[in-house]
């Protein structure tokens, strides 16, 4: 079969890498892809949905998928399905759980899915008035997609007022901040949950966790993710059962009930609180960098799982995961997430051959003559390794990183370490 992956991040490289191992997959196209995906298939030089649809009209593929929230929000699934080509992922209507947080919060309230208590505002004066009478910290979220930057945890009234001003008056995220959600701050341990879904049934992945802040100790600004681990050793099978029963199945059932059946990856961000699992956000796609860890431990042929989902056959399908652990560390350019320099040569990427336990998923890199150089996207690549336990996966990943060098490179040195402490 021929597959088209839409996207350019490390997660799309990881999906291409896994699909490339399938005997069923004869050709992989990636639009637009990156330097890593070019080694596994054919990169197509476009990213707009109209161009993808035009290309699909004259080229035959058997399946299309993406990790891009904005493509799902723009209705990529609907456009591809109009051409009678199977799409792994939700329609625009089902993906609304991710592209509108107010929709997601009202949906969760309706379905009694545990989530932080909240209020929704479209008027900045009323939002300010409300915040004045709340206790702090409090969480303020833009309704729409905001590159993962639309959430502010305000320590006091001044911070809350400034977030409301940025989102609603100065509109730094455009229409995404026209409506905002103000919700209670939750204490607990955060994990990422992924589930393959076929509209009716689901299969949960092991729990993972991503590290969103730039610096060690969860300090510094938010980023697109500086690393991930899977599975999370302190998460028990009882916790996973509870998450399936209270969060994932009610989401699937609720969406089907309102005429928006969900196919693809349901990815709730979950806080494990003293009163059980609570949803922080609902996503409708593979997470990044979580997927860079997940593809290392998925044993089943990914093409088979994707087909089982689009053919509504998940109930009769069993998915196998390796019993190993994996750790992925993202390497970013100097100054990321602010403006960074492109074109800097990266040394040592070719050190790891096909049989190595270490795999590099690329994101912001480009081939320049014989060199791989830093290109668009400040996070250049993710380095991941396997281990029989999380500690050995972490040690191997950081050992591999010693062999890679470029001017100004930055990465966190503590990916996975808090999970080790929590699991003691
Ligand atoms: P979101 O954009 O909803 O994924 O939120 C981004 C990050 O903010 C999450 O990964 C959490 O670390 C944090 N967060 C979001 N909502 C809450 C909440 N209600 N309480 C505590 N932390 C939160
Ligand atoms: N790792 C978080 C996300 O993909 O949104």
């Amino acid at each position: 079969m021929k597959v088209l992956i839409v996207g350019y991040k490390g997660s799309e490289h990881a999906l291409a890498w896994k699909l490339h191992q399938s005997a069923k997959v004869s050709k992989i196209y990636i639009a637009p892809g990156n330097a890593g995906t070019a080694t596994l298939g054919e990169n197509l030089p476009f990213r707009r949905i109209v161009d993808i649809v035009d290309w699909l009209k004259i080229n035959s593929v058997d399946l299309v998928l993406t990790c891009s929230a904005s493509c799902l929000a723009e209705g990529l699934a609907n456009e591809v399905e109009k051409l009678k080509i199977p799409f792994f992922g939700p329609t625009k209507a089902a993906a609304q759980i991710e592209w509108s947080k107010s929709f997601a919060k009202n949906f969760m309230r309706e379905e009694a899915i545990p989530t932080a208590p909240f209020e929704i505002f479209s008027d900045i004066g009323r939002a300010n008035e409300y915040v004045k009478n709340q206790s702090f910290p409090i969480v303020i979220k833009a309704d729409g997609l905001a590159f993962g930057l639309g959430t502010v945890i305000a320590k006091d009234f001044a911070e809350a007022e400034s977030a409301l001003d940025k989102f609603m008056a100065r509109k730094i995220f455009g229409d995404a901040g026209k409506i905002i959600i103000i919700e209670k701050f939750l204490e607990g341990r955060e994990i990422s949950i992924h589930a393959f879904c076929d509209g009716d049934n689901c299969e949960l992945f092991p729990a993972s966790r991503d590290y969103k802040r730039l610096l060690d100790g969860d300090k510094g600004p938010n980023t697109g993710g500086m690393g991930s681990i899977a599975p999370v050793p302190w998460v028990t099978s009882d916790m996973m059962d509870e998450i399936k029963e209270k969060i994932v199945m009610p989401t699937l059932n609720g969406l089907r009930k309102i005429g928006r059946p969900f196919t693809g990856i349901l990815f709730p961000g979950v806080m494990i609180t003293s009163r059980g699992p609570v949803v922080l956000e609902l996503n409708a796609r593979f997470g990044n960098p979580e997927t860079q860890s997940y593809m290392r431990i998925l044993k089943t042929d990914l093409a088979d799982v994707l087909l089982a989902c689009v053919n509504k056959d998940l109930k009769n399908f069993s998915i196998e995961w390796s019993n190993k652990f994996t750790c992925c560390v993202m390497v970013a350019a100097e100054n990321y997430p602010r403006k960074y320099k492109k074109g800097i040569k990266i040394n040592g990427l070719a050190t790891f051959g096909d049989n190595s336990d270490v795999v590099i998923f690329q994101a912001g890199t480009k081939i320049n003559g014989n060199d791989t150089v830093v290109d668009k996207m400040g996070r250049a690549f993710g380095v991941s390794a396997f281990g029989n336990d999380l500690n050995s996966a972490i040690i191997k990943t950081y050992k591999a990183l010693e062999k890679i060098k470029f001017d100004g490179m930055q990465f966190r040195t503590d990916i996975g370490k808090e999970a080790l402490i929590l699991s003691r």
Side-chain angles (χ1 to χ4, degrees):
M1 67 190 263
K2 295 180 187 166
V3 182
L4 168 64
I5 303 173
V6 176
Y8 51 84
K9 300 187 297 284
S11 47
E12 279 98 3
H13 183 187
L15 294 175
W17 176 82
K18 187 68 189 164
L19 285 170
H20 191 254
Q21 293 164 16
S22 168
K24 285 204 175 63
V25 175
S26 54
K27 175 95 190 186
I28 305 172
Y29 297 99
I30 313 95
N34 60 41
T37 61
T39 65
L40 302 167
E42 185 178 336
N43 285 350
L44 304 174
F46 42 74
R47 61 173 72 205
R48 292 187 321 164
I49 291 184
V50 283
D51 297 327
I52 291 165
V53 169
D54 282 347
W55 183 87
L56 284 170
K57 283 181 183 159
I58 45 174
N59 292 277
S60 87
V61 300
D62 305 288
L63 186 68
V64 181
L65 69 155
T66 186
C67 302
S68 160
S70 58
C71 285
L72 294 172
E74 284 171 41
L76 179 61
N78 308 57
E79 295 302 318
V80 171
E81 283 166 1
K82 271 189 211 155
L83 303 174
K84 306 265 178 280
I85 299 171
F87 186 86
F88 175 84
T91 57
K92 177 173 181 151
Q96 194 169 0
I97 52 165
E98 174 159 8
W99 57 261
S100 168
K101 287 194 196 308
S102 60
F103 173 83
K105 293 294 284 190
N106 283 326
F107 168 79
M108 288 189 274
R109 182 181 272 165
E110 195 67 30
E111 297 301 321
I113 295 166
T115 188
F118 66 98
E119 292 293 331
I120 296 171
F121 295 90
S122 54
D123 179 278
I124 187 168
R126 293 186 52 198
N128 267 311
E129 216 34 59
Y130 173 80
V131 161
K132 266 186 200 146
N133 300 316
Q134 301 304 307
S135 54
F136 293 91
I138 200 158
V139 184
I140 298 178
K141 298 182 176 183
D143 179 52
L145 296 176
F147 320 102
L149 302 175
T151 293
V152 170
I153 297 175
K155 283 200 301 303
D156 51 33
F157 178 70
E159 281 189 12
E161 198 180 25
S162 143
L164 292 173
D165 179 60
K166 273 202 278 195
F167 290 171
M168 300 182 92
R170 286 194 282 129
K171 295 192 167 56
I172 60 165
F173 297 123
D175 281 352
K178 250 168 70 180
I179 295 176
I180 56 110
I181 295 93
I182 303 183
E183 69 178 37
K184 188 170 177 270
F185 177 80
L186 299 170
E187 307 260 10
R189 301 174 177 184
E190 196 175 336
I191 53 175
S192 295
I193 295 297
H194 283 53
F196 286 112
C197 299
D198 73 355
D200 295 321
N201 294 296
C202 70
E203 278 293 330
L204 266 64
F205 296 31
S208 64
R209 127 135 247 210
D210 76 337
Y211 295 82
K212 292 190 174 78
R213 301 296 194 101
L214 180 71
L215 304 174
D216 284 8
D218 286 333
K219 302 257 164 39
N222 259 328
T223 70
M226 295 305 289
S228 61
I229 55 161
V232 179
W234 56 263
V235 175
T236 62
S237 58
D238 283 353
M239 285 178 191
M240 295 303 281
D241 290 346
E242 193 180 357
I243 289 167
K244 182 172 178 180
E245 184 205 328
K246 293 190 175 154
I247 296 171
V248 181
M249 281 316 294
T251 303
L252 265 188
N253 292 338
L255 285 170
R256 199 179 50 244
K257 202 168 68 193
I258 58 172
R260 306 179 187 213
F262 189 99
T263 303
I265 300 292
L266 193 61
F267 158 21
V270 170
M271 190 74 96
I272 304 290
T273 70
S274 55
R275 299 164 77 181
V278 181
V279 175
L280 294 171
E281 61 168 348
L282 290 172
N283 299 302
R285 57 179 167 85
F286 286 101
N288 188 37
E290 288 92 331
T291 301
Q292 300 186 46
S293 283
Y294 277 141
M295 290 305 116
R296 301 295 317 275
I297 56 167
L298 176 63
K299 273 174 96 176
T300 309
D301 185 327
L302 177 62
D304 285 336
V305 197
L306 301 179
L307 290 175
C309 291
V310 298
N311 296 329
K312 294 196 168 301
D313 198 23
L314 207 49
K315 202 166 60 186
N316 300 312
F317 193 85
S318 92
I319 300 171
E320 228 190 310
W321 296 91
S322 147
N323 53 12
K324 300 211 175 186
F325 287 75
T326 177
C327 168
C328 164
V329 177
M330 297 301 298
V331 179
E334 186 170 15
N335 229 13
Y336 171 81
R338 296 187 306 279
K339 213 168 155 46
Y340 50 86
K341 238 207 223 145
K342 293 182 198 167
I344 295 170
K345 184 178 165 193
I346 304 168
N347 294 304
L349 285 184
T351 315
F352 311 98
D354 285 346
N355 297 322
S356 166
D357 263 3
V358 176
V359 175
I360 306 211
F361 294 124
Q362 314 224 12
T365 53
K366 188 169 89 172
I367 303 295
N368 193 356
N370 289 329
D371 299 332
T372 304
V373 300
V374 174
D375 192 39
K376 56 184 185 299
M377 307 233 321
R379 287 175 309 155
F381 50 85
V383 178
S384 63
F386 261 162
N388 289 330
D389 54 41
L390 180 61
N391 193 34
S392 54
I394 293 170
I395 291 170
K396 265 198 207 161
T397 306
Y398 281 105
K399 191 110 203 107
L401 267 159
E402 287 170 11
K403 300 196 176 129
I404 303 170
K405 297 226 160 17
F406 67 87
D407 285 349
M409 80 190 260
Q410 52 169 338
F411 56 87
R412 275 181 64 160
T413 65
D414 66 345
I415 300 300
K417 292 190 181 156
E418 112 299 342
L420 283 181
I421 295 165
L422 291 175
S423 54
R424 263 182 212 142

